[in-house]
Amino acid sequence: QQQVKQSPQSLIVQKGGISIINCAYENTAFDYFPWYQQFPGKGPALLIAIRPDVSEKKEGRFTISFNKSAKQFSLHIMDSQPGDSATYFCAASKNQAGTALIFGKGTTLSVSS
Amino acid sequence: EAGVAQSPRYKIIEKRQSVAFWCNPISGHATLYWYQQILGQGPKLLIQFQNNGVVDDSQLPKDRFSAERLKGVDSTLKIQPAKLEDSAVYLCASSRGGAQYFGPGTRLLVL
């Protein structure tokens, strides 16, 4: 049973544009929602994370928006750059309970110059 | 601070052979995870350790996969015998109770 659904599967954005990736979860016990960035041949790297007591978190050009009632969260990449071209994964866990991450299937982002 | 180390980076074996992967977590991280990432998918947990004890191995195919973390630091994941469907990247991650940090992974190809 897939507990974290991610869309779109792939995304093409012009340089300077906004990239938006969406995720939906099912388990209301999840309390930690990170986003990871993965380049080919590398391990996933933590980008930004949010807990359900806030609706938005911003770090540089990256913003997570969180909608607890809809059980959805999204990643916005402002001023997208060619160097942002990578695969992005959303994930969720019951962090207080120390459980492992449940990942979405990933979104391949390509930023064209 | 050094990151999560994994070796080997690549491994090619034939089906029914055995293979072992090694992981050294970030210093001081008590929790260690092994994930399997099949091409085009997100990582999926195989096993989670807290110090040298197993917390969750519910998704580990125990008839062929085994893992240990004897001294609560580094860990070894073994597959014996390997099947074609085991071709994947095996990722190790560690945490100190919060964010999880991943190593570069071991890319396994089973022929």
Side-chain angles (χ1 to χ4, degrees):
Chain A
Q1 179 185 11
Q2 183 187 4
Q3 298 186 52
V4 179
K5 294 183 179 180
Q6 183 172 346
S7 63
Q9 185 175 348
S10 63
L11 182 61
I12 299 174
V13 173
Q14 294 275 0
K15 179 182 177 181
I18 302 174
S19 304
I20 302 174
I21 305 171
N22 301 297
C23 280
Y25 63 97
E26 300 169 1
N27 192 337
T28 55
F30 288 148
D31 60 4
Y32 177 68
F33 303 89
W35 285 89
Y36 283 82
Q37 179 188 57
Q38 187 175 31
F39 292 104
K42 305 291 186 182
L46 180 63
L47 201 57
I48 187 173
I50 197 168
R51 298 189 185 276
D53 52 345
V54 297
S55 60
E56 186 175 281
K57 183 175 181 180
K58 183 177 181 179
E59 290 184 3
R61 296 185 294 109
F62 301 92
T63 299
I64 298 180
S65 296
F66 186 82
N67 186 328
K68 188 174 180 178
S69 60
K71 293 187 288 185
Q72 295 176 347
F73 58 109
S74 60
L75 176 69
H76 291 65
I77 306 174
M78 310 300 288
D79 187 26
S80 299
Q81 299 297 313
D84 297 330
S85 297
T87 300
Y88 293 81
F89 293 95
C90 63
S93 75
K94 291 178 276 185
N95 189 254
Q96 292 289 345
T99 66
L101 293 166
I102 306 294
F103 283 85
K105 289 190 173 183
T107 297
T108 301
L109 171 65
S110 178
V111 181
S112 59
S113 54
Chain B
E1 181 180 69
V4 177
Q6 290 188 246
S7 67
R9 292 297 314 278
Y10 305 92
K11 192 73 177 179
I12 301 174
I13 62 173
E14 296 194 350
K15 60 182 179 183
R16 292 188 290 273
Q17 286 187 324
S18 63
V19 65
F21 313 128
W22 174 82
C23 171
N24 191 34
I26 295 172
S27 178
H29 282 195
T31 309
L32 185 148
Y33 310 81
W34 283 101
Y35 289 85
Q36 180 193 57
Q37 185 176 24
I38 293 173
L39 186 65
Q41 298 184 20
K44 185 185 80 171
L45 178 73
L46 290 173
I47 188 167
Q48 176 184 349
F49 291 95
Q50 180 74 20
N51 295 308
N52 61 350
V54 175
V55 174
D56 183 357
D57 64 356
S58 58
Q59 299 182 80
L60 186 74
K62 298 181 186 63
D63 58 334
R64 298 184 300 106
F65 286 65
S66 65
E68 59 184 15
R69 193 185 184 199
L70 293 175
K71 297 182 179 179
V73 179
D74 57 351
S75 175
T76 303
L77 176 70
K78 297 180 181 177
I79 307 175
Q80 182 179 11
K83 292 185 175 181
L84 296 178
E85 59 260 37
D86 298 332
S87 294
V89 176
Y90 291 85
L91 294 162
C92 179
S94 70
S95 77
R96 196 159 41 190
Q100 291 184 31
Y101 298 94
F102 284 80
T106 296
R107 189 172 302 271
L108 174 67
L109 179 60
V110 182
L111 301 176

